Amino acid sequence: MSRRVPPQSGTSGLSRRGVLKSAAALAVAASVTAPRVADAAPTTFTHPGMLHNAGDINRAKVRVAAGTDPWLSGWNKLTANSHSQSTWTNRATATIIRGGDGQNYSLLYSDIAAAYQNALRWKVGGTEANAVCAADILNAWSKTLTSVTGNADRFLAAGLYGWQFANACELMRDYSGFDLAAAQSMLADVFYPLNNSFLTNHNDACITNYWANWDLCNMASVLAIGILNEDKAKYDQAVTYFKSGAGNGSIAHAVPYLYTDSDGYALGQWQESGRDQGHTVMGMGQMGAICEMAWNQGDDLYSYDDRRFMKAAQYVAKYNLGQDVPYTTYTWGTGQSCAQSSQTVISASSRGQIRPVWAMLHFHYNRRISLDDKYISAMYYNLVAPEGGGGDYGSDSGGYDQLGFGTLMYAK
């Protein structure tokens, strides 16, 4: 049996069994420099400092060279992916359309996956041909893309592909053949205005109309562009929205109800849980990306509001492992009139869907800060590991909603 606790109270995210172990680990962690929980951008930005920092890259490089698992298994997933081949040819185009007539956005997400994967192969394996390929893809799009359009889905494209493109650029920023200035300008001129428009106006809809992921991907894009461009105002905009934004992507709205299960684990109901599990798991990847990028700039959003995101990830993992979780009727306003709609039960649609989002969460909560993440851990080890990336999880856009390769880059 589970009991619901008021949203503002919460619990620690630990099981009763893990409290003593974690208390000791946190005491040790407190003796070293820890990310701040701040309201302002870093004084100096860290590079590389989005999904991967210098330590992540060096660890992967050393462990792969030594042939050590699980890093080697993660590397093998990367090198087997067709997008990671240095022979990839970009398909840069001036106008990307998502939603409505003439959709062509697969050109962009496929090329971003190729740029990111080639950049990883260069960073970890040191192969120049992969660096050339990644730089060529990013340079071509930076100098060609002038608009992202379509129906309301254009905001999804601007969010998802904005933060992903910026992450590939961050890996390549110190490569001589990469035109960083062109990428910075394109992201600020093409992606950011759409990101900002959505977070500010929500396509003129009721503030609760759009699912959490719409906010989250646009928040992630603003954050990533802020880091790449060393733009403190954009960085602060994203972090502030995470903490207190009006839409469903801010932490209290994305995780509206908190519980404790019969084993003492803190759980948090995700905003899209009554919709389907594919989008719910997608949310773990989008919010996880925000938290990881902020962490690498010194801000601990992973722990914000008494680790509210960890509680959500435990909840989502537990349900997608086939176990029962509590559910509180979720009611929201839709359209422009805010007409009321409700979901009375959790959705089993696409339950157990595999997406490469769990390594990042497990290796943060369990290995970085030594917490008992029972359900996240089981989701990662039992169903997902080793993680691949775009191209490994189907050909539609959902398979490219996250960059992946967490086993290679986060295992500790």
Side-chain angles (χ1 to χ4, degrees), residues 12 23 28 65 70 79 82 87 102 136 168 176 190-191 218 224 261-262 269 271 280 293 308 347 352 367 399-400:
S12 68
V28 174
T79 58
S82 64
T87 53
D136 285 349
S176 60
V190 177
F191 285 89
N218 281 284
D261 72 11
S262 58
Q269 182 174 315
Q271 189 261 344
T280 295
M293 289 189 285
R308 198 178 189 99
S347 174
R367 300 305 296 274
Y400 294 81

Side-chain angles (χ1 to χ4, degrees), residues 30-334:
S31 68
V32 300
T33 301
R36 63 188 184 279
V37 179
D39 293 314
T43 303
T44 302
F45 284 94
T46 298
H47 301 293
M50 289 193 208
L51 290 184
H52 313 303
N53 59 36
D56 295 331
I57 294 166
N58 185 66
R59 181 181 59 247
K61 181 186 300 184
V62 170
R63 297 303 177 92
V64 169
T68 308
D69 266 333
W71 299 270
L72 183 61
S73 294
W75 173 255
N76 289 338
K77 291 285 288 188
L78 173 63
T79 58
N81 193 306
S82 64
H83 294 73
S84 78
Q85 308 310 309
S86 62
T87 53
W88 187 275
T89 301
N90 77 80
R91 296 167 293 173
T93 189
T95 300
I96 283 296
I97 303 168
R98 178 164 180 170
D101 296 332
Q103 291 192 124
N104 63 353
Y105 65 103
S106 64
L107 299 176
L108 180 55
Y109 69 64
S110 295
D111 276 10
I112 291 173
Y116 172 76
Q117 292 178 30
N118 272 274
L120 278 187
R121 289 191 66 169
W122 171 57
K123 283 292 190 181
V124 175
T127 45
E128 178 73 12
N130 292 111
V132 171
C133 181
D136 285 349
I137 296 168
L138 297 173
N139 290 343
W141 280 97
S142 296
K143 297 169 183 178
T144 303
L145 184 64
T146 58
S147 65
V148 176
T149 188
N151 61 21
D153 286 359
R154 69 189 184 278
F155 294 114
L156 284 176
L160 289 166
Y161 312 136
W163 75 257
Q164 292 179 3
F165 193 93
N167 267 272
C169 292
E170 180 74 356
L171 289 174
M172 297 302 297
R173 71 182 297 136
D174 59 348
Y175 182 68
S176 60
F178 169 56
D179 190 338
L180 175 61
Q184 290 172 323
S185 295
M186 186 277 286
L187 285 163
D189 295 342
V190 177
F191 285 89
Y192 176 74
L194 285 166
N195 304 146
N196 183 58
S197 175
F198 185 79
L199 294 175
T200 303
N201 300 315
H202 288 85
N203 200 28
D204 296 323
C206 182
I207 190 63
T208 57
N209 180 72
Y210 288 97
W211 303 103
N213 274 308
W214 290 68
D215 268 0
L216 289 169
C217 66
N218 281 284
M219 293 156 60
S221 183
V222 173
L223 186 67
I225 294 169
I227 295 169
L228 188 76
N229 293 11
E230 299 194 327
D231 185 327
K232 294 183 179 182
K234 289 182 176 60
Y235 181 94
D236 284 343
Q237 178 184 4
V239 171
T240 299
Y241 199 101
F242 177 93
K243 295 178 178 180
S244 58
N248 284 324
S250 60
I251 185 66
H253 294 127
V255 192
Y257 302 110
L258 302 178
Y259 314 89
T260 301
D261 72 11
S262 58
D263 289 329
Y265 290 93
L267 306 175
Q269 182 174 315
W270 188 250
Q271 189 261 344
E272 300 193 50
S273 292
R275 180 189 184 191
D276 64 67
Q277 296 310 304
H279 286 96
T280 295
V281 175
M282 176 187 174
M284 302 302 97
Q286 301 302 308
M287 187 169 278
I290 292 168
C291 291
E292 188 68 17
M293 289 189 285
W295 175 274
N296 283 328
Q297 295 301 325
D299 284 311
D300 187 4
L301 300 184
Y302 276 118
S303 296
Y304 187 73
D305 195 10
D306 196 22
R307 300 191 190 95
R308 198 178 189 99
F309 178 43
M310 180 183 180
K311 296 168 188 176
Q314 287 273 78
Y315 178 96
V316 173
K318 183 175 183 180
Y319 184 67
N320 281 276
L321 286 164
Q323 301 180 48
D324 293 334
V325 294
Y327 186 82
T328 299
T329 294
Y330 180 73
T331 301
W332 74 102
T334 66

